Amino acid sequence: VAAVRQEIGYEIPLAVDHFGHLGLESCIRLGKALDRFSLAWYEDMIPWQFTDQYLRLSQAVDTPICTGEDTYLKEGFMELLRQRAVAVIHPDLASSGGTLETKKIGDLAQEHGIAMALHMAMSPVAALASVHCAAATENFLALENHAVDDLERWSSLVEGLPVPLIQDGHIQVPEAPGLGFSGLNEEVMRQFADPEAP
């Protein structure tokens, strides 16, 4: 964390995730050690359903706490939000209940003064659904993306939009009907389905 922070400076937000299976006390100890790096958030340090542990963790560290990519429907977020056990919720509309349900989750979070980032580690189709949900949600903070290694090929899975889809860290909200793309690129889809194919 120190090496990454030194490389990118303090103008670029940096968050941490994938802590593994740690107990609450270890999470608190680790969180306190990392607080000095002014991170955007600690993500999924403990399973999302342990609201009481999230509340204790958020009170013990200075860095915002984030969870939610495995949480289903707005009811799953209710206790975390009601008790203000996290500073950021992180639903994934592919597993949280779809675009409309995720919009409802974001609105519920806003009622509790909590920001919403969106988890997204899938195709441009899911990314565009997330972009539309984000554009309709007032407390939207950031959209996660995992396609940075081959952004142009990933972007080419859909047709009718700029390649790369992400430019200067942003995705433009399409104005075309539906999710905004004109079709799927079957040739590129086959390449993703079987990377060994010619």
Side-chain angles (χ1 to χ4, degrees), residues 59-77:
Q59 292 170 343
V61 298
D62 296 329
T63 300
I65 302 298
C66 171
T67 196
E69 69 186 68
D70 298 320
T71 311
Y72 182 59
L73 301 177
K74 69 179 183 348
E75 289 79 10
F77 289 89

Side-chain angles (χ1 to χ4, degrees), residues 44 59-60 68 70 72 75 77 87 95 107 134-135 148 150 161 168 186:
D44 295 331
Q59 292 170 343
D70 298 320
Y72 182 59
E75 289 79 10
F77 289 89
S95 57
D107 291 346
V148 294
D150 195 353
L161 290 172
D168 297 322
E186 291 187 30

Side-chain angles (χ1 to χ4, degrees), residues 27-194:
C27 290
I28 291 171
R29 196 172 299 118
L30 179 58
K32 287 180 176 181
L34 294 175
D35 276 343
R36 65 189 171 110
F37 298 108
S38 298
L39 298 172
W41 62 66
Y42 300 141
E43 181 183 332
D44 295 331
M45 291 188 91
I46 49 182
W48 66 268
Q49 62 269 38
F50 297 134
T51 302
D52 57 336
Q53 291 186 31
Y54 267 106
L55 184 59
R56 181 149 177 254
L57 175 63
S58 67
Q59 292 170 343
V61 298
D62 296 329
T63 300
I65 302 298
C66 171
T67 196
E69 69 186 68
D70 298 320
T71 311
Y72 182 59
L73 301 177
K74 69 179 183 348
E75 289 79 10
F77 289 89
M78 202 74 78
E79 277 306 299
L80 287 166
L81 297 172
R82 190 182 66 75
Q83 294 190 42
R84 290 176 177 77
V86 294
V88 180
I89 57 160
H90 194 224
D92 184 320
L93 60 80
S95 57
S96 64
T99 307
L100 180 57
E101 185 69 13
T102 304
K103 164 74 170 123
K104 291 177 182 178
I105 291 165
D107 291 346
L108 180 65
Q110 184 173 355
E111 289 175 18
H112 291 84
I114 294 171
M116 180 178 77
L118 289 172
H119 179 267
M120 201 294 299
M122 295 168 287
S123 73
V125 176
L128 290 164
S130 297
V131 164
H132 283 278
C133 182
T137 308
E138 192 173 342
N139 59 335
F140 170 72
L141 182 63
L143 172 63
E144 186 172 3
N145 178 54
H146 292 264
V148 294
D149 292 336
D150 195 353
L151 186 56
E152 293 209 6
R153 193 169 79 126
W154 178 84
S155 300
S156 298
L157 283 164
V158 293
E159 298 170 336
L161 290 172
V163 174
L165 185 60
I166 303 168
Q167 297 183 10
D168 297 322
H170 297 85
I171 299 176
Q172 189 68 32
V173 180
E175 295 186 16
L179 294 179
F181 61 93
S182 59
L184 299 173
N185 185 327
E186 291 187 30
E187 182 181 334
V188 178
M189 288 177 68
R190 283 190 189 93
Q191 293 171 12
F192 272 90
D194 185 4

